[in-house]
Structures are given as C-alpha cells and as structure tokens.
Amino acid sequence: MQEHNLTLESGFLLLGFSDVPPQLQMFLSVMFIFIYLISMIGNLMIFVILTVDPVLHTPMYFFLRNLSIVDICLANVTIPKTVSGSLSNDRYISSSGCAAQMFLFFTFGITDCVLLAVMALDRYVAICIPLRYPTIMNRPMCVQLASVSWTIGVLCSLGMTSLTFSLPFCRSHEIPHFFCDIPSLMKLACADTIMTEVVTTASSVFVLIMPFVLILITYTFIISKIMKIQSSKGRQKAASTCASHFASVLLLYGTTMLTYVQPKSSYSMDRVFSVCYAFFTPMLNPLIYSLRNKDVKGAFKKQKSLNIF
C-alpha cells in the first residue's frame, strides 16, 4: 500500500518514443509539430467557414462543425505533451494530469466515433428519403443528436477513467505509451483487472462496433439508392456527399479497432495505431472535407475574396 500511494503521489513517466534513437526522436517531434499546426489551422478554418457562410448552415455542416471542435480538442490532449516530453526529456505527468488526459482523450475520441455515425444517419435521410429530410433533420433534432454524441463521450469516458484509476498501481510508474491509455495503465496494476477489461471491452463494442455497424447498414441503403438514380450526374453528386464522410470513417474506425478491439498487440504496433487515430485523424479530416467538397471549397474562395483569412 505504501508503494501504491508513493506511485500515485509521484505520478507517472510517459515513455513515449524514448526507445528510438535521438535523431529519430527529433524527426518525430518535428513531424508531430507539423501535424499539430496543420490540425489546428485546418480545423479552425473549416469551423470559421462553416460558421460565417449562411449557405452552409445545414445539418451536414452543423455536424461537421462539431467534428472540427472534437478534432481540435483531441489534438491538444496528446500532441503538445508528447512533443514537449520528447524535446525536453521531461516525461513526467502527475496522477491527476494522467487521469485528466485519459478522460479528455476518450471523451473526444468516443464523441468523434458517435458523431460519424450521426453523420451517416444524416446522409441516409438526405439521399434515401429526401422529401422528409427538412422535417426529420430539423435544427432541434440536430442539436439533440450532437448533444447525445457529446453526452455518450463524457459518460463512457468518465466510467472507464474512474474504473481504471481505482486500481492500485505498484508494479511501475513508467507508462509504455505516449499518453495515458487504459491498456498501458492496466499493465502497471498489481490487482485483478478483469472488471476493468470487461468494462473497457463492453465500452469498445458500444462506441466502436455498434456505430460502425450502423454506418455500414446506412451505407448499404445509400449505395442501393444511388445505384437506382438514372442520371449519372445525380449519382455522382449523391456519391460525392458521402465520399468524404466514408473516408473519415475508415481512417478513424480502422485504427481504433486495431487498437482496442483486436487481440493484444505489441507495444510498437499500439503506438503506430495510436499515432494514426490520435494525430493523423485530426489533421486529415479537414483536408478530406475541404478538398473533396465543392461547397466548402466555394465558401473558402468566397471568404478569401472578402479578406477574412
């Protein structure tokens, strides 16, 4: 018990990429700074454009604004601490800081997953039952769906974080990761972690598998509907509204499932998958939605001509 209390009082060490050569650490730090800047600039620009342009005040772009906020927050939870720890070699994080980082990371990560499922539902209504779209996806409904996404993220993250930090950590104070992740912390526990593993697995199924299955079902109906459109121009327009969203789905769900749903993988592979969904997803989402979306590109050109940027 004394060792347990000592560990909790002294905090933890995030090992991050300390096992790689110094030259590679410097390269990774520069790359992460670049990713961070692109994430911040891209998501802020998307959010501002979608806010100031009245033409883009539609349900789809309302959810995209929420996604931009989530990506901004997600990038700030992990990247600055990872880079500062690597450059200064100060990898210390307090117990309360570790708990806060875990809570915020999973809050934004889970909200991201649920929002993508909500956006898939929005595309299903828009393409499969377009005449009822204004009635179903009205503003109160959009606010409720976004609120549910954030609420699920907060509640699931709160439960998993509380359960994880109720464990006694006495094996080591070194976390073999670049952020306070649940599987990494459970490896440090000197008590039975079965309950935590069960809850984490159940939460993963709830926030990953179920939304992903919902997305697949909606896209099955969407593709079927698109194939029935006689006009090739109409098919192309309908498909283009879904392409960006589906690219984000594959990027986020693919990497998170490889981390939290698959059988236990190696430490190195966990870090690779974690970098993909924690660093690259916030950076690539604004690029995906701006480069493949004519409305967003048109709004950007219009706002640029007005010297907003």
Side-chain angles (χ1 to χ4, degrees), residues 47 62-74 103-104 106-115 118 142-158:
F47 180 82
F62 170 78
F63 295 127
L64 184 54
R65 286 204 302 272
N66 277 267
L67 192 66
S68 296
I69 295 174
V70 170
D71 286 339
I72 290 172
C73 296
L74 186 61
F103 169 74
L104 292 174
F106 283 101
T107 293
F108 301 132
I110 293 171
T111 302
D112 206 344
C113 293
V114 180
L115 271 176
V118 170
C142 292
V143 172
Q144 290 176 16
L145 290 173
S147 300
V148 168
S149 301
W150 283 95
T151 302
I152 291 175
V154 170
L155 293 180
C156 289
S157 179
L158 182 62

Coordinates of all heavy atoms in Angstrom, one line a residue, residues 47 62-74 103-104 106-115 118 142-158:
F47 N -14.1 25.3 -39.3 CA -15.1 25.8 -38.4 C -15.6 27.2 -38.7 O -16.8 27.5 -38.7 CB -14.6 25.7 -36.9 CG -15.6 26.2 -35.9 CD1 -16.5 25.4 -35.4 CD2 -15.5 27.5 -35.4 CE1 -17.5 25.8 -34.5 CE2 -16.4 28.0 -34.4 CZ -17.4 27.1 -34.0
F62 N -23.5 21.4 -39.9 CA -23.6 21.5 -38.4 C -22.8 20.4 -37.7 O -22.1 20.7 -36.7 CB -25.1 21.5 -38.0 CG -25.3 21.5 -36.5 CD1 -25.1 22.6 -35.7 CD2 -25.6 20.3 -35.9 CE1 -25.3 22.6 -34.3 CE2 -25.8 20.2 -34.5 CZ -25.6 21.4 -33.7
F63 N -23.0 19.2 -38.2 CA -22.3 18.1 -37.6 C -20.8 18.2 -37.9 O -19.9 17.8 -37.1 CB -22.8 16.8 -38.0 CG -24.2 16.5 -37.6 CD1 -25.2 16.2 -38.6 CD2 -24.6 16.6 -36.3 CE1 -26.5 16.0 -38.2 CE2 -25.9 16.4 -35.9 CZ -26.9 16.0 -36.8
L64 N -20.4 18.7 -39.0 CA -19.0 18.9 -39.4 C -18.4 19.9 -38.5 O -17.2 19.8 -38.2 CB -18.9 19.2 -40.9 CG -17.5 19.3 -41.5 CD1 -16.7 18.1 -41.2 CD2 -17.5 19.6 -42.9
R65 N -19.1 20.9 -38.1 CA -18.5 21.9 -37.2 C -18.2 21.3 -35.8 O -17.2 21.5 -35.2 CB -19.5 23.1 -37.0 CG -19.6 24.1 -38.1 CD -20.1 25.4 -37.7 NE -21.4 25.4 -37.1 CZ -22.6 25.4 -37.7 NH1 -22.6 25.6 -39.0 NH2 -23.7 25.4 -37.1
N66 N -19.2 20.4 -35.4 CA -18.9 19.7 -34.2 C -17.7 18.8 -34.3 O -16.9 18.7 -33.4 CB -20.1 18.8 -33.8 CG -21.2 19.6 -33.0 OD1 -21.2 19.7 -31.8 ND2 -22.1 20.3 -33.8
L67 N -17.5 18.2 -35.5 CA -16.4 17.3 -35.7 C -15.1 18.1 -35.7 O -14.1 17.6 -35.2 CB -16.5 16.6 -37.0 CG -15.6 15.4 -37.3 CD1 -15.8 14.3 -36.4 CD2 -15.7 14.9 -38.8
S68 N -15.1 19.3 -36.2 CA -13.9 20.1 -36.2 C -13.5 20.5 -34.7 O -12.3 20.5 -34.4 CB -14.2 21.4 -37.0 OG -14.4 21.1 -38.3
I69 N -14.5 20.8 -33.9 CA -14.3 21.1 -32.5 C -13.6 19.9 -31.8 O -12.7 20.0 -31.0 CB -15.5 21.5 -31.8 CG1 -16.1 22.8 -32.4 CG2 -15.3 21.7 -30.3 CD1 -17.4 23.3 -31.8
V70 N -14.2 18.7 -32.0 CA -13.7 17.5 -31.4 C -12.2 17.3 -31.9 O -11.4 16.9 -31.0 CB -14.5 16.3 -31.8 CG1 -13.9 15.0 -31.4 CG2 -15.9 16.4 -31.2
D71 N -11.9 17.5 -33.1 CA -10.6 17.2 -33.6 C -9.6 18.2 -33.1 O -8.4 17.9 -32.8 CB -10.5 17.3 -35.2 CG -11.2 16.1 -35.8 OD1 -11.2 15.0 -35.2 OD2 -11.6 16.2 -37.0
I72 N -10.0 19.5 -32.9 CA -9.1 20.5 -32.3 C -8.8 20.1 -30.8 O -7.6 20.1 -30.4 CB -9.8 21.9 -32.3 CG1 -9.9 22.4 -33.7 CG2 -9.0 22.8 -31.4 CD1 -10.7 23.7 -33.8
C73 N -9.8 19.6 -30.1 CA -9.6 19.2 -28.7 C -8.7 18.0 -28.6 O -7.9 17.8 -27.8 CB -10.9 19.0 -28.0 SG -12.0 20.5 -27.9
L74 N -9.0 17.0 -29.5 CA -8.3 15.7 -29.5 C -6.8 15.9 -29.8 O -6.0 15.3 -29.1 CB -8.9 14.8 -30.5 CG -8.3 13.4 -30.6 CD1 -8.6 12.7 -29.2 CD2 -9.0 12.6 -31.7
F103 N -9.3 11.0 -19.4 CA -10.7 11.4 -19.5 C -11.0 12.2 -20.8 O -12.0 11.9 -21.5 CB -11.2 12.1 -18.3 CG -12.5 12.8 -18.4 CD1 -13.7 12.0 -18.3 CD2 -12.6 14.1 -18.6 CE1 -14.9 12.6 -18.5 CE2 -13.9 14.7 -18.7 CZ -15.0 14.0 -18.6
L104 N -10.2 13.2 -21.0 CA -10.4 14.1 -22.2 C -10.2 13.3 -23.5 O -11.0 13.5 -24.5 CB -9.5 15.3 -22.1 CG -9.8 16.3 -21.0 CD1 -8.7 17.3 -20.9 CD2 -11.1 16.9 -21.1
F106 N -10.5 10.1 -24.2 CA -11.6 9.2 -24.5 C -12.9 9.9 -24.7 O -13.8 9.5 -25.5 CB -11.7 8.1 -23.5 CG -10.7 7.0 -23.6 CD1 -9.6 7.0 -22.8 CD2 -10.8 6.1 -24.6 CE1 -8.6 6.0 -22.9 CE2 -9.8 5.1 -24.7 CZ -8.7 5.1 -23.9
T107 N -13.1 11.1 -24.1 CA -14.3 11.9 -24.3 C -14.4 12.3 -25.8 O -15.4 12.1 -26.5 CB -14.3 13.1 -23.4 OG1 -14.5 12.7 -22.0 CG2 -15.5 14.0 -23.7
F108 N -13.3 12.9 -26.2 CA -13.3 13.4 -27.6 C -13.2 12.3 -28.6 O -13.8 12.4 -29.7 CB -12.1 14.4 -27.8 CG -12.1 15.5 -26.9 CD1 -11.0 15.9 -26.2 CD2 -13.3 16.3 -26.7 CE1 -11.0 17.0 -25.3 CE2 -13.3 17.4 -25.9 CZ -12.2 17.7 -25.2
G109 N -12.5 11.2 -28.3 CA -12.4 10.1 -29.2 C -13.7 9.4 -29.4 O -14.2 9.1 -30.5
I110 N -14.5 9.1 -28.3 CA -15.8 8.5 -28.4 C -16.8 9.4 -29.0 O -17.6 9.0 -29.9 CB -16.2 8.1 -27.0 CG1 -15.3 7.0 -26.4 CG2 -17.7 7.6 -27.0 CD1 -15.6 6.7 -24.9
T111 N -16.7 10.7 -28.7 CA -17.6 11.7 -29.4 C -17.4 11.7 -30.9 O -18.4 11.8 -31.7 CB -17.4 13.1 -28.8 OG1 -17.6 13.0 -27.4 CG2 -18.4 14.1 -29.4
D112 N -16.2 11.6 -31.3 CA -15.8 11.5 -32.7 C -16.5 10.3 -33.4 O -17.1 10.5 -34.4 CB -14.3 11.4 -32.8 CG -13.8 12.0 -34.2 OD1 -14.6 12.2 -35.1 OD2 -12.6 12.2 -34.3
C113 N -16.4 9.2 -32.7 CA -17.0 8.0 -33.3 C -18.5 8.1 -33.4 O -19.1 7.7 -34.5 CB -16.6 6.7 -32.4 SG -14.9 6.3 -32.4
V114 N -19.1 8.6 -32.4 CA -20.6 8.7 -32.4 C -21.0 9.7 -33.4 O -22.0 9.6 -34.1 CB -21.1 9.0 -31.0 CG1 -22.7 9.1 -31.0 CG2 -20.7 7.9 -30.0
L115 N -20.3 10.8 -33.5 CA -20.6 11.9 -34.5 C -20.6 11.3 -35.9 O -21.4 11.7 -36.8 CB -19.7 13.1 -34.3 CG -20.1 14.2 -33.4 CD1 -19.0 15.2 -33.3 CD2 -21.4 14.8 -33.8
V118 N -23.7 9.5 -36.5 CA -24.8 10.5 -36.7 C -24.8 11.1 -38.1 O -25.8 11.3 -38.8 CB -24.7 11.6 -35.6 CG1 -25.7 12.8 -35.9 CG2 -25.0 11.0 -34.3
C142 N -31.0 18.1 -34.8 CA -29.6 18.1 -35.0 C -28.9 18.4 -33.7 O -27.9 17.8 -33.3 CB -29.2 19.2 -36.0 SG -29.7 18.7 -37.7
V143 N -29.4 19.4 -32.9 CA -28.9 19.8 -31.6 C -29.0 18.6 -30.7 O -28.0 18.3 -29.9 CB -29.6 21.0 -31.0 CG1 -29.1 21.2 -29.6 CG2 -29.3 22.2 -31.9
Q144 N -30.1 17.9 -30.7 CA -30.3 16.7 -29.8 C -29.3 15.6 -30.2 O -28.7 15.0 -29.3 CB -31.7 16.2 -29.9 CG -32.7 17.1 -29.3 CD -34.1 16.6 -29.5 OE1 -34.3 15.4 -29.8 NE2 -35.1 17.4 -29.3
L145 N -29.1 15.3 -31.5 CA -28.1 14.3 -31.9 C -26.7 14.6 -31.5 O -25.9 13.8 -31.0 CB -28.3 14.0 -33.4 CG -29.5 13.4 -33.9 CD1 -29.6 13.4 -35.4 CD2 -29.6 12.0 -33.3
A146 N -26.3 15.9 -31.7 CA -25.0 16.3 -31.3 C -24.8 16.3 -29.8 O -23.7 15.8 -29.3 CB -24.7 17.8 -31.8
S147 N -25.8 16.6 -29.0 CA -25.8 16.6 -27.6 C -25.6 15.2 -27.1 O -24.9 14.9 -26.2 CB -27.0 17.2 -27.0 OG -27.1 18.6 -27.3
V148 N -26.4 14.2 -27.7 CA -26.3 12.8 -27.4 C -24.9 12.3 -27.6 O -24.3 11.6 -26.8 CB -27.3 12.0 -28.1 CG1 -27.0 10.5 -28.0 CG2 -28.7 12.3 -27.7
S149 N -24.3 12.7 -28.7 CA -22.9 12.3 -29.1 C -21.9 12.7 -28.0 O -21.1 12.0 -27.5 CB -22.5 12.9 -30.4 OG -23.3 12.5 -31.4
W150 N -22.0 14.0 -27.6 CA -21.1 14.5 -26.5 C -21.4 13.9 -25.2 O -20.5 13.6 -24.4 CB -21.3 16.0 -26.4 CG -20.6 16.8 -27.5 CD1 -21.1 17.3 -28.7 CD2 -19.2 17.2 -27.5 NE1 -20.2 17.9 -29.4 CE2 -19.0 17.9 -28.8 CE3 -18.2 17.1 -26.7 CZ2 -17.8 18.5 -29.1 CZ3 -16.9 17.6 -27.0 CH2 -16.7 18.3 -28.2
T151 N -22.7 13.6 -24.9 CA -23.0 13.0 -23.6 C -22.5 11.6 -23.5 O -22.0 11.2 -22.5 CB -24.6 13.0 -23.4 OG1 -25.0 14.4 -23.5 CG2 -24.9 12.4 -22.1
I152 N -22.6 10.8 -24.6 CA -22.1 9.5 -24.6 C -20.6 9.5 -24.4 O -20.0 8.7 -23.6 CB -22.5 8.8 -25.9 CG1 -24.0 8.5 -26.0 CG2 -21.7 7.4 -26.1 CD1 -24.4 7.9 -27.3
G153 N -19.9 10.4 -25.1 CA -18.5 10.5 -24.9 C -18.1 10.8 -23.5 O -17.2 10.2 -22.9
V154 N -18.8 11.8 -22.8 CA -18.4 12.2 -21.5 C -18.7 11.0 -20.5 O -17.8 10.7 -19.7 CB -19.2 13.4 -21.1 CG1 -19.0 13.7 -19.6 CG2 -18.7 14.6 -21.9
L155 N -19.9 10.4 -20.6 CA -20.3 9.4 -19.6 C -19.4 8.1 -19.7 O -18.9 7.6 -18.7 CB -21.7 9.0 -19.8 CG -22.7 10.2 -19.4 CD1 -24.2 9.7 -19.6 CD2 -22.5 10.6 -18.0
C156 N -19.2 7.7 -21.0 CA -18.3 6.5 -21.2 C -16.9 6.7 -20.7 O -16.3 5.9 -20.0 CB -18.4 6.1 -22.6 SG -19.9 5.3 -23.2
S157 N -16.4 7.9 -21.0 CA -15.0 8.2 -20.6 C -14.9 8.3 -19.1 O -13.9 7.9 -18.5 CB -14.6 9.5 -21.3 OG -13.3 9.9 -20.9
L158 N -15.9 8.9 -18.5 CA -15.9 9.1 -17.0 C -15.9 7.7 -16.4 O -15.1 7.5 -15.4 CB -17.1 9.9 -16.6 CG -17.2 10.2 -15.1 CD1 -16.0 11.0 -14.6 CD2 -18.5 10.9 -14.8

